[in-house]
Amino acid sequence: MTLLHWATISPFLLAIVIPFFFKYFKRIHTGWFVMILPLVLFIYFLSLIPVTSSGEVIVRSVPWVPSLGINFDLYIDGLSLLFVLLITGIGTLVVLYSIYYLSKVKEKLNNFYVYLLMFMGAMLGVVLSDNLIVIYVFWEVTSIASSLLISYWFHREKSTYGAQKSMFITVFGGLSMLGGFSLLYVMTGTFSIREIIANVDLVTGSALFLPAMILVLLGAFTKSAQFPFHIWLPDAMEAPTPVSAYLHSATMVKAGIYLVARLTAVFGGSAEWFWIVTITGLTTLMWGSVSAIRQKDLKSILAFSTVSQLGLIMSLLGVGSAAYYFNEGDNALYTVAILAAVFHLINHATFKGSLFMTAGIIDHETGTRDIRKLGGLMTIMPVTATISLIGLASMAGLPPFNGFLSKELFFTAMLNVTEYGIFNLETFGVILPIVAWIASIFTFAYCLIMFFKTFTGKFKPEELDVDHVHEAPFGMLISPIILGLLVVLFGLFPNILAYTLIEPAMAAILPGILEPGQVFDVYIHHWHGFVPELFMTFGVVILGTLIFTTMKKWSQSGFYQGERDIFNHVYDGGYAGLINGAQGVTRVQMTGRLRDYFIYMCSFIIIILGYTIYRYDVLSFDTSNLSPIDPYMWVISIIFIGSVVSVPFINNRIGVIIVTGVVGFVVALMFVVFRAPDLALTQLLVETVTVVLFMLAFYHLPKLKKEPVNIRFNLFKLFIAVGFGAIMTLVSISAFTMGGEAGFASISDYFTENAKELAGGYNIVNVILVDFRGLDTMLEILVLGIAALAVVTLIKLRLKGSEDV
Amino acid sequence: METLITILAGVLVTVATYLILSRSLIRVILGTAILSHAAHLLIMTMGGGLKIGSVPILGEGNGTFVDALPQALILTSIVISFAVTAVALVLAYRTYQETGTDKLDELRGMKHE
């Protein structure tokens, strides 16, 4: 275990002791103990920037299950480092924010911080691991921690609904991803991502390429809330706001982005990857931005906006994967999309984190997040309003904030697509920038709605539950202020990130593109001149404002009234259908009637044996090995069949016992004929006792009633019974014939020869029972003993209801 | 002879199956008892127990004996099926005492909990 390993699992270790802090240090908010850890980790990982920016990587290995190729290998390159800095940096700020947001008296902080630390550790594990199985393990822990956090207020029905939904969808994706990882292992023989990338030819040439790719993408798309799996994210907004800010905007939903970025080197360069990732991303972008403008809840708007922005990053990763198709050094035509993706990833984490925090502040101070009730908060909460303005302007893509820069790069990347000249892009490619542009217009519109509906207009105190609305305490404002400052800082001086974080991350997403020693040129400009991107931005501003100003008209429409996503109906309907369907199937087959179950069993045996006989043509009949039939056997047989067949037709209690007894005695007679004296004796005795027992029981039982006549059912019974009997007969005859053909001698010669020598007995059957195979006899005695005890217990023990202890 | 006994066993299986599909608990128990006869006869036949030979007691006959192993197996089986039949019978008796019915359809218990 190296320092890096300890750093990765340190959140789990801290989570173990947090409940003790909560219990024994009641006066200090537990969050303060928690906050130290991400802060220390953040500083530690910051110190690694010089390593990755010089193109080096850090590899630390610890064996876990070496025999299966599963090792806890950690691997730090530009991409991992970018993510761990986001996780620990925003983690620190979120914990700080939560200290002021959650009351240390009213809330169960021990639960909250244990889940949060669990999530943080899992997230670090996902982005730092090199081994696919280890990634999967941490991946599922993030799903579990996320569900726990969503249902933090578990007495609310909506919280548990959201938690369950997110669990179902992300675990569905996680399991698909595990399937994809397994296929990657089948193709390459290793779980290590580095080794898979080194042997990427094995993957691209394989028939399993497409299945593996789709399965892995299902995992990434469900986690990153891509269309149509985005439906869990808006319902996850029932979580406490620090959780929404941390998990559902900055970190967990980017795990899918991370996975796609990480595996671009494996799957990139193929048309399927390009189209699936790009189209899913653009659809998500469009759907999210259109859905966001009809939400009335601040966090719902932010949730759909997160969906939309994640789609944007995803589509950029899809477009950027074409760089592998050309595979020619730092050609900005192809790599600008990856640059935009990485840059927007950072920007989104900063502005979305701050926006969630301000939404939380508004909720905390006014008691509502409904934009129809809010308004005129600008003068009451000036700091919150300023931070919101910065975040929203950045999200809308206005200069001079960082969102503007990444949006320009996004347009550039999408416009470049038509020049690729591959995958039919010269014709279809023109759709991509158009979709991107329209989605940006809606993005601009919902940013306007969010700001103006909350902070301007008339202040409506009568709609709010709280008496006195005022600015949040300073502690709660620290984190959003820091994030807001970062938005401004990255907007004004984007190039402080260029060679420290962005370029190493690009090199990690696109390994093998660059010559050794070469670096991507990532100088980010504010002013490109009068290029198409600039005019697109003008168009966005103008049309977005138009949508906002005409809001009165279209807000009356049904489109605006229907908040719920249409895919929620699919999910709810599917869920209800699954339960109803399963109940229906159970109700049909589980009738509670012994008869039906016996029919299932018999039918199954008839079908499976009948099919096997037919399929392998094993029916055989050979007379050569048979013993001769003694003439008197015919008489015995006729009596036997006569008595057996009459049993079901007798409706008299005594009669049925006597006839059944006759059957038993005829069997005893047969044992005599077959030269089995011990058997005949036992059978006689047992049959006698059985008949007596039946008599005893029948004395207490009611008169046998005639079976109700139901011709169809009786015929069916007869059909099953005859079929079962016939199949048994056929199998027996064939088995006997084959037994003769197999040519194995019976083991009984041994018993015959040694009964006297070894056991000192003359009766071979008895010698077998008590000497050669004495164990059977012992346990048979045990069975008899248990039966006797059971009979006694059944008759004697008469406990009723709660009397039995 | 083996074919004849096998067919007899088949008849036993048929009747036993028919009885087990009845509505009355007693007939079901009778069915299981008859089913065990079929099994015993089949063990006897399949194990080569019908071959010509004398009683498996040393000193009897001319030195060829019928197979003793299936006989030992059946002996064990007879005792066990007797035990099971006895328990089933007492169970049926107690069921009738407690519930007042021996009709399986009426013993279906509660509807869905």
Side-chain angles (χ1 to χ4, degrees):
Chain A
M1 293 287 276
T2 61
L3 180 63
L4 195 54
H5 284 91
W6 286 115
T8 309
I9 63 165
S10 58
F12 294 107
L13 300 177
L14 183 61
I16 295 173
V17 296
I18 279 301
F20 297 103
F21 283 115
F22 177 69
K23 189 167 177 195
Y24 295 110
F25 297 94
K26 282 248 182 260
R27 293 191 22 237
I28 307 168
H29 196 288
T30 318
W32 291 113
F33 301 110
V34 179
M35 204 184 92
I36 302 163
L37 180 77
L39 191 62
V40 170
L41 288 177
F42 182 68
I43 294 165
Y44 167 65
F45 286 118
L46 271 182
S47 72
L48 299 179
I49 286 182
V51 182
T52 55
S53 60
S54 65
E56 301 289 316
V57 296
I58 301 168
V59 181
R60 296 281 183 274
S61 189
V62 163
W64 184 17
V65 193
S67 58
L68 298 178
I70 300 170
N71 295 310
F72 188 18
D73 292 350
L74 298 181
Y75 177 75
I76 293 193
D77 59 6
L79 186 63
S80 319
L81 194 71
L82 171 62
F83 271 91
V84 290
L85 287 175
L86 284 180
I87 293 162
T88 52
I90 297 188
T92 312
L93 297 175
V94 161
V95 173
L96 178 65
Y97 177 75
S98 71
I99 291 171
Y100 291 93
Y101 189 84
L102 294 172
S103 154
K104 72 180 171 196
V105 191
K106 292 183 204 146
E107 303 285 355
K108 294 191 182 66
L109 290 177
N110 47 348
N111 293 356
F112 182 79
Y113 286 113
V114 167
Y115 302 157
L116 200 73
L117 283 168
M118 191 171 132
F119 171 78
M120 194 184 288
M123 205 59 213
L124 288 177
V126 166
V127 298
L128 288 176
S129 297
D130 177 54
N131 194 289
L132 288 174
I133 296 297
V134 179
I135 289 185
Y136 172 73
V137 170
F138 282 121
W139 186 277
E140 293 296 34
V141 176
T142 64
S143 294
I144 294 167
S146 164
S147 285
L148 287 170
L149 284 167
I150 296 169
S151 59
Y152 174 67
W153 289 309
F154 51 81
H155 45 83
R156 296 183 190 169
E157 200 181 331
K158 279 176 124 180
S159 298
T160 47
Y161 171 79
Q164 193 192 34
K165 193 175 188 179
S166 81
M167 189 78 171
F168 276 153
I169 294 179
T170 53
V171 168
F172 159 74
L175 286 174
S176 308
M177 193 183 79
L178 181 63
F181 287 172
S182 309
L183 290 182
L184 278 177
Y185 181 76
V186 169
M187 287 186 269
T188 58
T190 174
F191 282 123
S192 161
I193 295 179
R194 274 171 302 144
E195 289 174 32
I196 289 174
I197 291 174
N199 298 311
V200 74
D201 299 345
L202 293 173
V203 179
T204 44
S206 170
L208 295 174
F209 176 80
L210 200 58
M213 187 183 101
I214 290 170
L215 286 173
V216 168
L217 279 181
L218 269 180
F221 287 169
T222 49
K223 199 71 157 185
S224 282
Q226 297 294 298
F227 182 90
F229 306 112
H230 62 274
I231 49 170
W232 67 265
L233 190 62
D235 285 311
M237 291 303 128
E238 294 303 321
T241 301
V243 173
S244 308
Y246 189 38
L247 274 68
H248 306 125
S249 72
T251 52
M252 185 177 89
V253 288
K254 296 208 168 97
I257 301 277
Y258 169 79
L259 194 73
V260 168
R262 183 55 91 193
L263 294 179
T264 296
V266 179
F267 296 110
S270 68
E272 294 91 352
W273 177 269
F274 179 91
W275 281 118
I276 294 176
V277 177
T278 308
I279 290 179
T280 309
L282 281 177
T283 315
T284 314
L285 166 64
M286 191 74 190
W287 191 271
S289 61
V290 172
S291 301
I293 64 167
R294 57 186 200 182
Q295 301 302 315
K296 286 97 186 170
D297 178 291
L298 283 179
K299 276 175 86 176
S300 291
I301 300 177
L302 288 174
F304 276 107
S305 117
T306 303
V307 168
S308 150
Q309 304 281 316
L310 291 169
L312 186 153
I313 300 173
M314 194 65 90
S315 68
L316 283 170
L317 286 175
V319 169
S321 73
Y324 268 105
Y325 185 85
F326 299 101
N327 209 5
E328 48 173 27
D330 179 21
N331 188 333
L333 189 64
Y334 314 121
T335 56
V336 71
I338 300 289
L339 163 65
V342 174
F343 191 41
H344 196 69
L345 182 82
I346 303 169
N347 294 343
H348 178 249
T350 52
F351 67 67
K352 193 53 67 68
S354 73
L355 285 175
F356 266 110
M357 288 174 186
T358 53
I361 289 171
I362 294 164
D363 185 16
H364 203 265
E365 302 305 327
T366 64
T368 183
R369 301 190 308 250
D370 192 326
I371 54 169
R372 287 166 298 193
K373 294 182 185 171
L374 293 169
L377 291 177
M378 195 168 340
T379 48
I380 301 167
M381 304 169 81
V383 184
T384 313
T386 313
I387 302 164
S388 292
L389 182 63
I390 293 172
L392 290 168
S394 177
M395 183 155 79
L398 289 180
F401 303 108
N402 56 9
F404 168 71
L405 301 169
S406 49
K407 189 140 289 188
E408 296 267 289
L409 285 169
F410 171 55
F411 288 150
T412 311
M414 288 297 160
L415 288 169
N416 283 354
V417 155
T418 47
E419 298 174 35
Y420 282 11
I422 51 165
F423 313 144
N424 286 329
L425 277 173
E426 58 282 352
T427 46
F428 292 120
V430 72
I431 300 169
L432 270 56
I434 292 175
V435 172
W437 185 63
I438 296 172
S440 298
I441 295 169
F442 282 105
T443 308
F444 193 84
Y446 69 70
C447 290
L448 290 181
I449 292 173
M450 242 187 111
F451 183 78
F452 287 107
K453 290 281 170 190
T454 314
F455 294 105
T456 64
K458 211 167 124 289
F459 180 54
K460 294 169 259 186
E462 69 282 357
E463 299 248 16
L464 307 176
D465 295 335
V466 288
D467 305 330
H468 179 60
V469 179
H470 54 79
E471 182 61 278
F474 178 67
M476 209 188 257
L477 288 167
I478 300 173
S479 298
I481 287 175
I482 292 174
L483 286 171
L485 284 178
L486 284 177
V487 170
V488 178
L489 183 71
F490 294 159
L492 294 177
F493 308 102
N495 292 309
I496 57 168
L497 294 172
Y499 285 99
T500 49
L501 285 176
I502 297 178
E503 190 278 323
M506 286 175 71
I509 297 172
L510 300 171
I513 294 273
L514 294 179
E515 303 290 323
Q518 203 183 354
V519 289
F520 287 107
D521 175 29
V522 285
Y523 189 74
I524 299 165
H525 308 269
H526 263 278
W527 176 249
H528 306 267
F530 290 101
V531 285
E533 293 90 316
L534 187 67
F535 294 107
M536 282 168 82
T537 305
F538 285 144
V540 165
V541 172
I542 293 164
L543 289 175
T545 315
L546 198 66
I547 290 182
F548 177 68
T549 49
T550 58
M551 194 175 159
K552 272 217 165 57
K553 283 180 194 151
W554 56 259
S555 66
Q556 303 303 320
S557 67
F559 162 78
Y560 182 71
Q561 305 299 331
E563 274 178 71
R564 295 272 288 167
D565 208 300
I566 189 162
F567 289 95
N568 281 317
H569 300 299
V570 177
Y571 169 84
D572 291 335
Y575 185 71
L578 199 66
I579 289 174
N580 290 338
Q583 280 176 344
V585 169
T586 311
R587 224 175 285 130
V588 167
Q589 56 160 355
M590 293 287 149
T591 57
R593 283 197 199 91
L594 178 69
R595 202 163 56 236
D596 291 334
Y597 303 145
F598 200 71
I599 288 172
Y600 299 153
M601 285 188 255
C602 289
S603 315
F604 182 74
I605 292 172
I606 293 169
I607 290 166
I608 204 92
L609 286 182
Y611 177 74
T612 312
I613 289 172
Y614 164 77
R615 171 76 177 73
Y616 296 98
D617 196 23
V618 285
L619 212 53
S620 58
F621 182 56
D622 181 20
T623 50
S624 63
N625 208 19
L626 299 180
S627 322
I629 301 176
D630 300 312
Y632 53 84
M633 263 313 284
W634 292 111
V635 182
I636 297 176
S637 302
I638 288 166
I639 298 172
F640 187 73
I641 291 178
S643 54
V644 168
V645 170
S646 58
V647 171
F649 299 103
I650 302 171
N651 291 315
N652 176 307
R653 286 194 293 177
I654 301 297
V656 87
I657 298 167
I658 290 174
V659 176
T660 316
V662 169
V663 174
F665 291 123
V666 176
V667 170
L669 189 60
M670 285 183 180
F671 287 146
V672 173
V673 174
F674 301 150
R675 294 166 295 278
D678 302 295
L679 283 188
L681 190 66
T682 316
Q683 178 68 28
L684 272 176
L685 281 173
V686 163
E687 200 57 42
T688 313
V689 177
T690 311
V691 169
V692 170
L693 259 179
F694 268 96
M695 292 285 192
L696 271 176
F698 273 39
Y699 178 76
H700 298 281
L701 287 176
K703 286 213 164 65
L704 265 188
K705 292 207 187 65
K706 231 177 136 188
E707 289 274 293
V709 182
N710 180 346
I711 306 283
R712 273 179 60 199
F713 184 68
N714 280 359
L715 277 177
F716 181 64
K717 264 163 60 174
L718 192 67
F719 175 72
I720 294 277
V722 170
F724 196 48
I727 210 100
M728 284 299 156
T729 313
L730 289 176
V731 169
S732 309
I733 290 176
S734 304
F736 184 73
T737 309
M738 283 173 200
E741 289 165 358
F744 292 115
S746 167
I747 196 179
S748 294
D749 294 341
Y750 172 83
F751 296 130
T752 312
E753 284 159 21
N754 293 305
K756 174 79 177 50
E757 263 95 281
L758 295 181
Y762 292 90
N763 185 332
I764 304 171
V765 174
N766 287 1
V767 166
I768 291 175
L769 281 175
V770 297
D771 193 311
F772 290 122
R773 298 179 58 88
L775 200 61
D776 293 358
T777 311
M778 189 184 87
L779 296 177
E780 164 199 339
I781 293 167
L782 188 65
V783 169
L784 212 55
I786 292 171
L789 285 176
V791 168
V792 172
T793 316
L794 275 171
I795 292 175
K796 285 278 174 196
L797 205 62
R798 306 275 164 116
L799 298 173
K800 290 248 189 254
S802 57
E803 285 172 35
D804 54 334
V805 183
Chain B
M1 181 100 91
E2 280 82 356
T3 315
L4 177 67
I5 302 298
T6 310
I7 290 168
L8 289 183
V11 173
L12 279 176
V13 171
T14 307
V15 171
T17 311
Y18 192 85
L19 284 174
I20 292 174
L21 294 177
S22 306
R23 282 163 211 268
S24 148
L25 199 50
I26 301 307
R27 284 190 215 265
V28 172
I29 296 171
L30 285 175
T32 57
I34 288 179
L35 198 60
S36 67
H37 290 321
H40 300 157
L41 284 183
L42 275 177
I43 297 174
M44 197 76 182
T45 317
M46 295 294 116
L50 309 188
K51 291 273 182 319
I52 302 204
S54 55
V55 175
I57 294 174
L58 294 176
E60 299 280 325
N62 56 4
T64 55
F65 302 99
V66 294
D67 203 329
L69 190 57
Q71 295 193 7
L73 296 181
I74 294 166
L75 202 58
T76 311
S77 166
I78 288 175
V79 176
I80 291 173
S81 51
F82 166 67
V84 173
T85 308
V87 173
L89 208 55
V90 174
L91 201 56
Y93 159 65
R94 290 284 294 125
T95 309
Y96 178 64
Q97 265 197 336
E98 294 292 325
T99 64
T101 180
D102 70 330
K103 296 282 167 283
L104 282 171
D105 287 0
E106 292 164 20
L107 290 172
R108 274 172 71 192
M110 274 175 268
K111 288 278 174 199
H112 290 286
E113 63 273 14

